[in-house]
Amino acid sequence: MIWSPLDLRSAVFLIAVGNALAATGLTLYRGVTGVSRTYIAARVCQSAGWLLIWQIGNAPLWLNFLVANVVLQFGFALEALAVLSVTRRRPRVEIFYAIWFAVIVAGTAGRYFMPFTAAELNQVNIEASLYAMVTFAVPAALKGRGAAGSRFKRVLAVLYAVFSLSLLARIVMLLSAREPVPLFAPNLVQTFLFVTVFAVLLFATLAYVLLLTERTVQYLQASEESYRVLADDVSVLNQRLREEAIRDPLTGLLNRRYLQESLARDAAIALRSGLPLLVAMLDVDGFKEVNDRGGHEAGDALLCEIARQLSSQVRSSDLACRMGGDEFLVVLRSADPPAALALCERWRASLPGAVTVSIGLAVYRAGEETIEETVRRADAALYEAKRMGRNRVVLADAVAASERAVS
């Protein structure tokens, strides 16, 4: 002999013990591995089935044949179903295995209740091998389909394919045999079959656990990516809310709320640096008449046009805001009074058609007054421009000098 026959009865016992140990280990570490109860139940059933087969000749036929085959085939079906359901439930596959197991039970029970002769032993073993081959051919085909996918899926597909082929080889051997071939007959085909069973137990269990681990890692990576996208969306939303909170919804200019925060910072910088800081207040002349003639739509359109002109005319260092109604405020940073007056005159001259504005301008007196007082002086200069006939720019210092001269 080129090869030494394996004690197949001992091999079956080892397979039964291996399944029991696998079921125990997977149960103890189920929280870590994430193995399904279905897969653990499959290993338990296979362990019980192989133990009953190991006792062939030492126990009643109904136990060695009927119960052993039904339990073992049920374990095979559970394993296939658990492996195929790693990523998602497969209702059609579940229905297939439910029907297929009913066929197995009916066929096995039929053989038991219609006693078979020794001459029919090969036919009985052919049927049992055929049941198992079909059971594992399905996951072999489905897991191996396509070039893409997990390498552990491909390992499972190869293992189940080899197991199915070993069962097919046994069927061919039994069909060609002239004499009954006992289950534990130590020939090459049956030895290869039981070696394959042990390899599937060992390597398929390992591949299944690694497949679950890979799925968990992919899930965590996808969750991390989802959280990152969500965080980006929240950041964008916060930025949008921030913009909406500080922008005037009609004109798009910065609003009074933002102005109050910015003026305090600008005043502090001007106080430390000694750089000039001016505040210009603008008011649309005859705005009430515009609303009366054209309605609020015309008034809104005019305010938007003025805002657009201001945005295009102010320097990048300046700050244009809408105070409310038809009043606007511009903060002029690092501009001396003559330059600021020239800028205000340019704004006034840039307005379309017969639209005019009155502008009051005030210089922030750092260390002598608060920025709020500067805004009030600019507002007073604006009202002086209105009193003087509108459509002009008035400097608050000139107003103060005029008042002192009058007194």
PDB file of all heavy atoms in Angstrom, residues 18-44 46 79 82-83 200-202 204-210 212-213:
ATOM      1  N   GLY A  18     -14.509  17.746  17.907  1.00  0.00           N
ATOM      2  CA  GLY A  18     -14.127  19.053  17.357  1.00  0.00           C
ATOM      3  C   GLY A  18     -15.315  19.986  17.217  1.00  0.00           C
ATOM      4  O   GLY A  18     -15.225  21.189  17.526  1.00  0.00           O
ATOM      5  N   ASN A  19     -16.440  19.460  16.757  1.00  0.00           N
ATOM      6  CA  ASN A  19     -17.647  20.282  16.647  1.00  0.00           C
ATOM      7  C   ASN A  19     -18.121  20.752  18.017  1.00  0.00           C
ATOM      8  O   ASN A  19     -18.547  21.910  18.177  1.00  0.00           O
ATOM      9  CB  ASN A  19     -18.761  19.486  15.956  1.00  0.00           C
ATOM     10  CG  ASN A  19     -18.692  19.581  14.445  1.00  0.00           C
ATOM     11  OD1 ASN A  19     -19.097  20.572  13.851  1.00  0.00           O
ATOM     12  ND2 ASN A  19     -18.158  18.534  13.822  1.00  0.00           N
ATOM     13  N   ALA A  20     -18.036  19.856  19.015  1.00  0.00           N
ATOM     14  CA  ALA A  20     -18.453  20.233  20.367  1.00  0.00           C
ATOM     15  C   ALA A  20     -17.553  21.326  20.932  1.00  0.00           C
ATOM     16  O   ALA A  20     -18.039  22.295  21.548  1.00  0.00           O
ATOM     17  CB  ALA A  20     -18.434  19.002  21.278  1.00  0.00           C
ATOM     18  N   LEU A  21     -16.242  21.178  20.727  1.00  0.00           N
ATOM     19  CA  LEU A  21     -15.305  22.203  21.207  1.00  0.00           C
ATOM     20  C   LEU A  21     -15.531  23.533  20.490  1.00  0.00           C
ATOM     21  O   LEU A  21     -15.470  24.613  21.113  1.00  0.00           O
ATOM     22  CB  LEU A  21     -13.864  21.727  20.997  1.00  0.00           C
ATOM     23  CG  LEU A  21     -13.406  20.549  21.880  1.00  0.00           C
ATOM     24  CD1 LEU A  21     -12.010  20.104  21.473  1.00  0.00           C
ATOM     25  CD2 LEU A  21     -13.434  20.948  23.356  1.00  0.00           C
ATOM     26  N   ALA A  22     -15.779  23.482  19.181  1.00  0.00           N
ATOM     27  CA  ALA A  22     -16.041  24.711  18.419  1.00  0.00           C
ATOM     28  C   ALA A  22     -17.300  25.407  18.929  1.00  0.00           C
ATOM     29  O   ALA A  22     -17.316  26.633  19.110  1.00  0.00           O
ATOM     30  CB  ALA A  22     -16.180  24.384  16.933  1.00  0.00           C
ATOM     31  N   ALA A  23     -18.344  24.631  19.177  1.00  0.00           N
ATOM     32  CA  ALA A  23     -19.591  25.213  19.686  1.00  0.00           C
ATOM     33  C   ALA A  23     -19.376  25.847  21.053  1.00  0.00           C
ATOM     34  O   ALA A  23     -19.879  26.950  21.331  1.00  0.00           O
ATOM     35  CB  ALA A  23     -20.670  24.137  19.772  1.00  0.00           C
ATOM     36  N   THR A  24     -18.591  25.164  21.922  1.00  0.00           N
ATOM     37  CA  THR A  24     -18.315  25.705  23.252  1.00  0.00           C
ATOM     38  C   THR A  24     -17.513  27.001  23.175  1.00  0.00           C
ATOM     39  O   THR A  24     -17.847  27.999  23.822  1.00  0.00           O
ATOM     40  CB  THR A  24     -17.539  24.668  24.092  1.00  0.00           C
ATOM     41  OG1 THR A  24     -18.287  23.449  24.161  1.00  0.00           O
ATOM     42  CG2 THR A  24     -17.301  25.200  25.499  1.00  0.00           C
ATOM     43  N   GLY A  25     -16.445  26.994  22.373  1.00  0.00           N
ATOM     44  CA  GLY A  25     -15.615  28.192  22.244  1.00  0.00           C
ATOM     45  C   GLY A  25     -16.373  29.371  21.655  1.00  0.00           C
ATOM     46  O   GLY A  25     -16.260  30.500  22.132  1.00  0.00           O
ATOM     47  N   LEU A  26     -17.153  29.102  20.622  1.00  0.00           N
ATOM     48  CA  LEU A  26     -17.911  30.183  19.988  1.00  0.00           C
ATOM     49  C   LEU A  26     -18.976  30.731  20.929  1.00  0.00           C
ATOM     50  O   LEU A  26     -19.287  31.925  20.892  1.00  0.00           O
ATOM     51  CB  LEU A  26     -18.555  29.676  18.696  1.00  0.00           C
ATOM     52  CG  LEU A  26     -17.580  29.308  17.570  1.00  0.00           C
ATOM     53  CD1 LEU A  26     -18.335  28.690  16.402  1.00  0.00           C
ATOM     54  CD2 LEU A  26     -16.794  30.522  17.105  1.00  0.00           C
ATOM     55  N   THR A  27     -19.533  29.872  21.773  1.00  0.00           N
ATOM     56  CA  THR A  27     -20.529  30.334  22.747  1.00  0.00           C
ATOM     57  C   THR A  27     -19.886  31.229  23.801  1.00  0.00           C
ATOM     58  O   THR A  27     -20.424  32.288  24.157  1.00  0.00           O
ATOM     59  CB  THR A  27     -21.218  29.136  23.429  1.00  0.00           C
ATOM     60  OG1 THR A  27     -21.842  28.327  22.437  1.00  0.00           O
ATOM     61  CG2 THR A  27     -22.261  29.607  24.429  1.00  0.00           C
ATOM     62  N   LEU A  28     -18.712  30.810  24.299  1.00  0.00           N
ATOM     63  CA  LEU A  28     -18.030  31.582  25.334  1.00  0.00           C
ATOM     64  C   LEU A  28     -17.580  32.952  24.828  1.00  0.00           C
ATOM     65  O   LEU A  28     -17.597  33.937  25.575  1.00  0.00           O
ATOM     66  CB  LEU A  28     -16.818  30.798  25.849  1.00  0.00           C
ATOM     67  CG  LEU A  28     -17.133  29.524  26.660  1.00  0.00           C
ATOM     68  CD1 LEU A  28     -15.852  28.786  27.005  1.00  0.00           C
ATOM     69  CD2 LEU A  28     -17.898  29.884  27.931  1.00  0.00           C
ATOM     70  N   TYR A  29     -17.177  33.006  23.558  1.00  0.00           N
ATOM     71  CA  TYR A  29     -16.653  34.259  23.007  1.00  0.00           C
ATOM     72  C   TYR A  29     -17.607  34.865  21.979  1.00  0.00           C
ATOM     73  O   TYR A  29     -17.180  35.614  21.108  1.00  0.00           O
ATOM     74  CB  TYR A  29     -15.282  34.020  22.367  1.00  0.00           C
ATOM     75  CG  TYR A  29     -14.224  33.658  23.374  1.00  0.00           C
ATOM     76  CD1 TYR A  29     -13.883  32.324  23.596  1.00  0.00           C
ATOM     77  CD2 TYR A  29     -13.581  34.640  24.115  1.00  0.00           C
ATOM     78  CE1 TYR A  29     -12.916  31.982  24.530  1.00  0.00           C
ATOM     79  CE2 TYR A  29     -12.611  34.305  25.047  1.00  0.00           C
ATOM     80  CZ  TYR A  29     -12.281  32.975  25.260  1.00  0.00           C
ATOM     81  OH  TYR A  29     -11.335  32.650  26.184  1.00  0.00           O
ATOM     82  N   ARG A  30     -18.869  34.540  22.131  1.00  0.00           N
ATOM     83  CA  ARG A  30     -19.843  35.045  21.155  1.00  0.00           C
ATOM     84  C   ARG A  30     -19.901  36.569  21.159  1.00  0.00           C
ATOM     85  O   ARG A  30     -20.074  37.205  20.121  1.00  0.00           O
ATOM     86  CB  ARG A  30     -21.233  34.471  21.456  1.00  0.00           C
ATOM     87  CG  ARG A  30     -22.286  34.874  20.451  1.00  0.00           C
ATOM     88  CD  ARG A  30     -23.583  34.107  20.648  1.00  0.00           C
ATOM     89  NE  ARG A  30     -24.567  34.552  19.680  1.00  0.00           N
ATOM     90  CZ  ARG A  30     -25.427  35.540  19.910  1.00  0.00           C
ATOM     91  NH1 ARG A  30     -25.435  36.157  21.075  1.00  0.00           N
ATOM     92  NH2 ARG A  30     -26.289  35.912  18.979  1.00  0.00           N
ATOM     93  N   GLY A  31     -19.758  37.173  22.335  1.00  0.00           N
ATOM     94  CA  GLY A  31     -19.802  38.635  22.410  1.00  0.00           C
ATOM     95  C   GLY A  31     -18.657  39.293  21.677  1.00  0.00           C
ATOM     96  O   GLY A  31     -18.768  40.414  21.202  1.00  0.00           O
ATOM     97  N   VAL A  32     -17.534  38.573  21.557  1.00  0.00           N
ATOM     98  CA  VAL A  32     -16.360  39.113  20.856  1.00  0.00           C
ATOM     99  C   VAL A  32     -16.438  38.808  19.368  1.00  0.00           C
ATOM    100  O   VAL A  32     -16.187  39.673  18.522  1.00  0.00           O
ATOM    101  CB  VAL A  32     -15.057  38.518  21.448  1.00  0.00           C
ATOM    102  CG1 VAL A  32     -13.839  39.024  20.682  1.00  0.00           C
ATOM    103  CG2 VAL A  32     -14.950  38.858  22.925  1.00  0.00           C
ATOM    104  N   THR A  33     -16.785  37.560  19.046  1.00  0.00           N
ATOM    105  CA  THR A  33     -16.778  37.137  17.638  1.00  0.00           C
ATOM    106  C   THR A  33     -18.043  37.540  16.889  1.00  0.00           C
ATOM    107  O   THR A  33     -18.016  37.705  15.675  1.00  0.00           O
ATOM    108  CB  THR A  33     -16.613  35.611  17.551  1.00  0.00           C
ATOM    109  OG1 THR A  33     -17.727  34.983  18.227  1.00  0.00           O
ATOM    110  CG2 THR A  33     -15.325  35.163  18.212  1.00  0.00           C
ATOM    111  N   GLY A  34     -19.161  37.677  17.600  1.00  0.00           N
ATOM    112  CA  GLY A  34     -20.419  38.012  16.934  1.00  0.00           C
ATOM    113  C   GLY A  34     -21.026  36.853  16.172  1.00  0.00           C
ATOM    114  O   GLY A  34     -21.851  37.046  15.281  1.00  0.00           O
ATOM    115  N   VAL A  35     -20.609  35.628  16.506  1.00  0.00           N
ATOM    116  CA  VAL A  35     -21.126  34.443  15.813  1.00  0.00           C
ATOM    117  C   VAL A  35     -22.618  34.294  16.104  1.00  0.00           C
ATOM    118  O   VAL A  35     -23.071  34.491  17.239  1.00  0.00           O
ATOM    119  CB  VAL A  35     -20.371  33.180  16.277  1.00  0.00           C
ATOM    120  CG1 VAL A  35     -20.985  31.922  15.668  1.00  0.00           C
ATOM    121  CG2 VAL A  35     -18.900  33.290  15.897  1.00  0.00           C
ATOM    122  N   SER A  36     -23.376  33.924  15.092  1.00  0.00           N
ATOM    123  CA  SER A  36     -24.819  33.781  15.263  1.00  0.00           C
ATOM    124  C   SER A  36     -25.151  32.514  16.031  1.00  0.00           C
ATOM    125  O   SER A  36     -24.401  31.534  16.024  1.00  0.00           O
ATOM    126  CB  SER A  36     -25.517  33.763  13.898  1.00  0.00           C
ATOM    127  OG  SER A  36     -25.209  32.560  13.217  1.00  0.00           O
ATOM    128  N   ARG A  37     -26.303  32.535  16.689  1.00  0.00           N
ATOM    129  CA  ARG A  37     -26.782  31.338  17.399  1.00  0.00           C
ATOM    130  C   ARG A  37     -27.027  30.189  16.415  1.00  0.00           C
ATOM    131  O   ARG A  37     -26.892  29.016  16.776  1.00  0.00           O
ATOM    132  CB  ARG A  37     -28.070  31.677  18.152  1.00  0.00           C
ATOM    133  CG  ARG A  37     -27.873  32.619  19.329  1.00  0.00           C
ATOM    134  CD  ARG A  37     -29.170  32.761  20.121  1.00  0.00           C
ATOM    135  NE  ARG A  37     -29.005  33.609  21.282  1.00  0.00           N
ATOM    136  CZ  ARG A  37     -29.194  34.918  21.294  1.00  0.00           C
ATOM    137  NH1 ARG A  37     -29.553  35.534  20.168  1.00  0.00           N
ATOM    138  NH2 ARG A  37     -29.028  35.632  22.384  1.00  0.00           N
ATOM    139  N   THR A  38     -27.391  30.547  15.193  1.00  0.00           N
ATOM    140  CA  THR A  38     -27.631  29.520  14.177  1.00  0.00           C
ATOM    141  C   THR A  38     -26.378  28.709  13.910  1.00  0.00           C
ATOM    142  O   THR A  38     -26.427  27.474  13.811  1.00  0.00           O
ATOM    143  CB  THR A  38     -28.119  30.171  12.862  1.00  0.00           C
ATOM    144  OG1 THR A  38     -29.283  30.942  13.126  1.00  0.00           O
ATOM    145  CG2 THR A  38     -28.436  29.122  11.813  1.00  0.00           C
ATOM    146  N   TYR A  39     -25.234  29.393  13.807  1.00  0.00           N
ATOM    147  CA  TYR A  39     -23.976  28.683  13.535  1.00  0.00           C
ATOM    148  C   TYR A  39     -23.584  27.812  14.721  1.00  0.00           C
ATOM    149  O   TYR A  39     -23.114  26.682  14.544  1.00  0.00           O
ATOM    150  CB  TYR A  39     -22.863  29.678  13.225  1.00  0.00           C
ATOM    151  CG  TYR A  39     -21.639  29.039  12.627  1.00  0.00           C
ATOM    152  CD1 TYR A  39     -21.564  28.810  11.261  1.00  0.00           C
ATOM    153  CD2 TYR A  39     -20.566  28.651  13.428  1.00  0.00           C
ATOM    154  CE1 TYR A  39     -20.447  28.207  10.699  1.00  0.00           C
ATOM    155  CE2 TYR A  39     -19.445  28.051  12.880  1.00  0.00           C
ATOM    156  CZ  TYR A  39     -19.388  27.831  11.514  1.00  0.00           C
ATOM    157  OH  TYR A  39     -18.292  27.226  10.963  1.00  0.00           O
ATOM    158  N   ILE A  40     -23.765  28.312  15.924  1.00  0.00           N
ATOM    159  CA  ILE A  40     -23.444  27.518  17.118  1.00  0.00           C
ATOM    160  C   ILE A  40     -24.352  26.286  17.174  1.00  0.00           C
ATOM    161  O   ILE A  40     -23.896  25.170  17.464  1.00  0.00           O
ATOM    162  CB  ILE A  40     -23.590  28.374  18.380  1.00  0.00           C
ATOM    163  CG1 ILE A  40     -22.542  29.497  18.381  1.00  0.00           C
ATOM    164  CG2 ILE A  40     -23.459  27.521  19.634  1.00  0.00           C
ATOM    165  CD1 ILE A  40     -22.692  30.499  19.504  1.00  0.00           C
ATOM    166  N   ALA A  41     -25.645  26.483  16.892  1.00  0.00           N
ATOM    167  CA  ALA A  41     -26.582  25.350  16.871  1.00  0.00           C
ATOM    168  C   ALA A  41     -26.167  24.336  15.809  1.00  0.00           C
ATOM    169  O   ALA A  41     -26.316  23.113  16.007  1.00  0.00           O
ATOM    170  CB  ALA A  41     -27.998  25.851  16.610  1.00  0.00           C
ATOM    171  N   ALA A  42     -25.638  24.819  14.680  1.00  0.00           N
ATOM    172  CA  ALA A  42     -25.178  23.912  13.632  1.00  0.00           C
ATOM    173  C   ALA A  42     -24.055  23.021  14.148  1.00  0.00           C
ATOM    174  O   ALA A  42     -24.038  21.805  13.897  1.00  0.00           O
ATOM    175  CB  ALA A  42     -24.707  24.711  12.422  1.00  0.00           C
ATOM    176  N   ARG A  43     -23.110  23.623  14.863  1.00  0.00           N
ATOM    177  CA  ARG A  43     -21.996  22.830  15.400  1.00  0.00           C
ATOM    178  C   ARG A  43     -22.481  21.831  16.456  1.00  0.00           C
ATOM    179  O   ARG A  43     -21.996  20.701  16.529  1.00  0.00           O
ATOM    180  CB  ARG A  43     -20.937  23.767  15.992  1.00  0.00           C
ATOM    181  CG  ARG A  43     -20.166  24.555  14.953  1.00  0.00           C
ATOM    182  CD  ARG A  43     -19.314  23.647  14.116  1.00  0.00           C
ATOM    183  NE  ARG A  43     -18.803  24.314  12.913  1.00  0.00           N
ATOM    184  CZ  ARG A  43     -18.627  23.719  11.768  1.00  0.00           C
ATOM    185  NH1 ARG A  43     -18.970  22.451  11.636  1.00  0.00           N
ATOM    186  NH2 ARG A  43     -18.144  24.358  10.736  1.00  0.00           N
ATOM    187  N   VAL A  44     -23.433  22.223  17.270  1.00  0.00           N
ATOM    188  CA  VAL A  44     -23.987  21.315  18.285  1.00  0.00           C
ATOM    189  C   VAL A  44     -24.670  20.125  17.613  1.00  0.00           C
ATOM    190  O   VAL A  44     -24.462  18.961  17.988  1.00  0.00           O
ATOM    191  CB  VAL A  44     -24.970  22.069  19.209  1.00  0.00           C
ATOM    192  CG1 VAL A  44     -25.700  21.086  20.119  1.00  0.00           C
ATOM    193  CG2 VAL A  44     -24.237  23.110  20.040  1.00  0.00           C
ATOM    194  N   GLN A  46     -24.213  18.964  14.569  1.00  0.00           N
ATOM    195  CA  GLN A  46     -23.239  18.116  13.876  1.00  0.00           C
ATOM    196  C   GLN A  46     -22.460  17.254  14.866  1.00  0.00           C
ATOM    197  O   GLN A  46     -22.170  16.081  14.592  1.00  0.00           O
ATOM    198  CB  GLN A  46     -22.290  18.979  13.043  1.00  0.00           C
ATOM    199  CG  GLN A  46     -22.961  19.600  11.828  1.00  0.00           C
ATOM    200  CD  GLN A  46     -22.021  20.440  10.995  1.00  0.00           C
ATOM    201  OE1 GLN A  46     -20.904  20.020  10.713  1.00  0.00           O
ATOM    202  NE2 GLN A  46     -22.463  21.631  10.598  1.00  0.00           N
ATOM    203  N   GLU A  79     -25.619  25.326   9.249  1.00  0.00           N
ATOM    204  CA  GLU A  79     -24.315  25.934   8.944  1.00  0.00           C
ATOM    205  C   GLU A  79     -24.375  26.700   7.628  1.00  0.00           C
ATOM    206  O   GLU A  79     -23.901  27.849   7.530  1.00  0.00           O
ATOM    207  CB  GLU A  79     -23.232  24.859   8.873  1.00  0.00           C
ATOM    208  CG  GLU A  79     -21.865  25.440   8.531  1.00  0.00           C
ATOM    209  CD  GLU A  79     -20.761  24.392   8.507  1.00  0.00           C
ATOM    210  OE1 GLU A  79     -21.006  23.252   8.954  1.00  0.00           O
ATOM    211  OE2 GLU A  79     -19.646  24.721   8.036  1.00  0.00           O
ATOM    212  N   ALA A  82     -26.386  29.877   8.130  1.00  0.00           N
ATOM    213  CA  ALA A  82     -25.674  30.889   8.921  1.00  0.00           C
ATOM    214  C   ALA A  82     -24.612  31.590   8.079  1.00  0.00           C
ATOM    215  O   ALA A  82     -24.461  32.819   8.135  1.00  0.00           O
ATOM    216  CB  ALA A  82     -25.027  30.238  10.142  1.00  0.00           C
ATOM    217  N   VAL A  83     -23.881  30.825   7.272  1.00  0.00           N
ATOM    218  CA  VAL A  83     -22.829  31.403   6.432  1.00  0.00           C
ATOM    219  C   VAL A  83     -23.427  32.311   5.359  1.00  0.00           C
ATOM    220  O   VAL A  83     -22.898  33.394   5.073  1.00  0.00           O
ATOM    221  CB  VAL A  83     -21.983  30.283   5.799  1.00  0.00           C
ATOM    222  CG1 VAL A  83     -21.071  30.847   4.715  1.00  0.00           C
ATOM    223  CG2 VAL A  83     -21.166  29.571   6.861  1.00  0.00           C
ATOM    224  N   VAL A 200     -13.112  21.175   6.840  1.00  0.00           N
ATOM    225  CA  VAL A 200     -14.226  22.130   6.828  1.00  0.00           C
ATOM    226  C   VAL A 200     -14.538  22.591   8.239  1.00  0.00           C
ATOM    227  O   VAL A 200     -14.758  23.783   8.490  1.00  0.00           O
ATOM    228  CB  VAL A 200     -15.474  21.497   6.167  1.00  0.00           C
ATOM    229  CG1 VAL A 200     -16.710  22.367   6.402  1.00  0.00           C
ATOM    230  CG2 VAL A 200     -15.247  21.311   4.682  1.00  0.00           C
ATOM    231  N   LEU A 201     -14.540  21.643   9.193  1.00  0.00           N
ATOM    232  CA  LEU A 201     -14.785  22.007  10.588  1.00  0.00           C
ATOM    233  C   LEU A 201     -13.772  23.039  11.064  1.00  0.00           C
ATOM    234  O   LEU A 201     -14.145  24.059  11.661  1.00  0.00           O
ATOM    235  CB  LEU A 201     -14.703  20.746  11.460  1.00  0.00           C
ATOM    236  CG  LEU A 201     -14.561  20.965  12.981  1.00  0.00           C
ATOM    237  CD1 LEU A 201     -15.785  21.664  13.532  1.00  0.00           C
ATOM    238  CD2 LEU A 201     -14.303  19.648  13.679  1.00  0.00           C
ATOM    239  N   LEU A 202     -12.508  22.790  10.787  1.00  0.00           N
ATOM    240  CA  LEU A 202     -11.454  23.671  11.289  1.00  0.00           C
ATOM    241  C   LEU A 202     -11.388  24.993  10.531  1.00  0.00           C
ATOM    242  O   LEU A 202     -11.524  26.078  11.107  1.00  0.00           O
ATOM    243  CB  LEU A 202     -10.110  22.940  11.216  1.00  0.00           C
ATOM    244  CG  LEU A 202      -8.884  23.714  11.722  1.00  0.00           C
ATOM    245  CD1 LEU A 202      -9.032  24.026  13.199  1.00  0.00           C
ATOM    246  CD2 LEU A 202      -7.615  22.900  11.463  1.00  0.00           C
ATOM    247  N   ALA A 204     -13.313  26.218   7.917  1.00  0.00           N
ATOM    248  CA  ALA A 204     -14.551  26.958   7.637  1.00  0.00           C
ATOM    249  C   ALA A 204     -14.995  27.746   8.861  1.00  0.00           C
ATOM    250  O   ALA A 204     -15.485  28.877   8.745  1.00  0.00           O
ATOM    251  CB  ALA A 204     -15.657  26.000   7.196  1.00  0.00           C
ATOM    252  N   THR A 205     -14.816  27.158  10.053  1.00  0.00           N
ATOM    253  CA  THR A 205     -15.155  27.896  11.281  1.00  0.00           C
ATOM    254  C   THR A 205     -14.268  29.125  11.416  1.00  0.00           C
ATOM    255  O   THR A 205     -14.747  30.226  11.732  1.00  0.00           O
ATOM    256  CB  THR A 205     -14.993  26.988  12.515  1.00  0.00           C
ATOM    257  OG1 THR A 205     -15.862  25.862  12.388  1.00  0.00           O
ATOM    258  CG2 THR A 205     -15.335  27.737  13.786  1.00  0.00           C
ATOM    259  N   LEU A 206     -12.974  28.953  11.163  1.00  0.00           N
ATOM    260  CA  LEU A 206     -12.043  30.081  11.247  1.00  0.00           C
ATOM    261  C   LEU A 206     -12.394  31.151  10.213  1.00  0.00           C
ATOM    262  O   LEU A 206     -12.434  32.350  10.523  1.00  0.00           O
ATOM    263  CB  LEU A 206     -10.610  29.581  11.039  1.00  0.00           C
ATOM    264  CG  LEU A 206      -9.502  30.651  11.091  1.00  0.00           C
ATOM    265  CD1 LEU A 206      -9.481  31.336  12.450  1.00  0.00           C
ATOM    266  CD2 LEU A 206      -8.149  30.021  10.785  1.00  0.00           C
ATOM    267  N   ALA A 207     -12.657  30.723   8.976  1.00  0.00           N
ATOM    268  CA  ALA A 207     -13.006  31.685   7.918  1.00  0.00           C
ATOM    269  C   ALA A 207     -14.307  32.402   8.236  1.00  0.00           C
ATOM    270  O   ALA A 207     -14.453  33.600   7.964  1.00  0.00           O
ATOM    271  CB  ALA A 207     -13.108  30.967   6.567  1.00  0.00           C
ATOM    272  N   TYR A 208     -15.257  31.681   8.807  1.00  0.00           N
ATOM    273  CA  TYR A 208     -16.539  32.290   9.187  1.00  0.00           C
ATOM    274  C   TYR A 208     -16.346  33.364  10.243  1.00  0.00           C
ATOM    275  O   TYR A 208     -16.898  34.471  10.137  1.00  0.00           O
ATOM    276  CB  TYR A 208     -17.483  31.207   9.694  1.00  0.00           C
ATOM    277  CG  TYR A 208     -18.783  31.718  10.261  1.00  0.00           C
ATOM    278  CD1 TYR A 208     -19.745  32.297   9.453  1.00  0.00           C
ATOM    279  CD2 TYR A 208     -19.045  31.618  11.620  1.00  0.00           C
ATOM    280  CE1 TYR A 208     -20.952  32.768   9.981  1.00  0.00           C
ATOM    281  CE2 TYR A 208     -20.235  32.083  12.163  1.00  0.00           C
ATOM    282  CZ  TYR A 208     -21.184  32.648  11.340  1.00  0.00           C
ATOM    283  OH  TYR A 208     -22.355  33.117  11.866  1.00  0.00           O
ATOM    284  N   VAL A 209     -15.540  33.070  11.271  1.00  0.00           N
ATOM    285  CA  VAL A 209     -15.269  34.057  12.332  1.00  0.00           C
ATOM    286  C   VAL A 209     -14.536  35.270  11.751  1.00  0.00           C
ATOM    287  O   VAL A 209     -14.855  36.425  12.074  1.00  0.00           O
ATOM    288  CB  VAL A 209     -14.457  33.418  13.467  1.00  0.00           C
ATOM    289  CG1 VAL A 209     -14.000  34.475  14.472  1.00  0.00           C
ATOM    290  CG2 VAL A 209     -15.278  32.355  14.178  1.00  0.00           C
ATOM    291  N   LEU A 210     -13.561  35.023  10.880  1.00  0.00           N
ATOM    292  CA  LEU A 210     -12.825  36.136  10.264  1.00  0.00           C
ATOM    293  C   LEU A 210     -13.729  36.958   9.348  1.00  0.00           C
ATOM    294  O   LEU A 210     -13.579  38.189   9.251  1.00  0.00           O
ATOM    295  CB  LEU A 210     -11.631  35.596   9.474  1.00  0.00           C
ATOM    296  CG  LEU A 210     -10.504  34.989  10.323  1.00  0.00           C
ATOM    297  CD1 LEU A 210      -9.439  34.369   9.436  1.00  0.00           C
ATOM    298  CD2 LEU A 210      -9.884  36.043  11.231  1.00  0.00           C
ATOM    299  N   LEU A 212     -16.920  37.430   9.860  1.00  0.00           N
ATOM    300  CA  LEU A 212     -17.706  38.268  10.773  1.00  0.00           C
ATOM    301  C   LEU A 212     -16.874  39.447  11.273  1.00  0.00           C
ATOM    302  O   LEU A 212     -17.381  40.576  11.385  1.00  0.00           O
ATOM    303  CB  LEU A 212     -18.191  37.430  11.961  1.00  0.00           C
ATOM    304  CG  LEU A 212     -19.255  36.372  11.677  1.00  0.00           C
ATOM    305  CD1 LEU A 212     -19.527  35.553  12.925  1.00  0.00           C
ATOM    306  CD2 LEU A 212     -20.550  37.017  11.189  1.00  0.00           C
ATOM    307  N   THR A 213     -15.603  39.185  11.604  1.00  0.00           N
ATOM    308  CA  THR A 213     -14.718  40.259  12.064  1.00  0.00           C
ATOM    309  C   THR A 213     -14.539  41.308  10.980  1.00  0.00           C
ATOM    310  O   THR A 213     -14.579  42.520  11.242  1.00  0.00           O
ATOM    311  CB  THR A 213     -13.347  39.673  12.458  1.00  0.00           C
ATOM    312  OG1 THR A 213     -13.532  38.657  13.450  1.00  0.00           O
ATOM    313  CG2 THR A 213     -12.435  40.761  13.018  1.00  0.00           C
TER     314      THR A 213
END
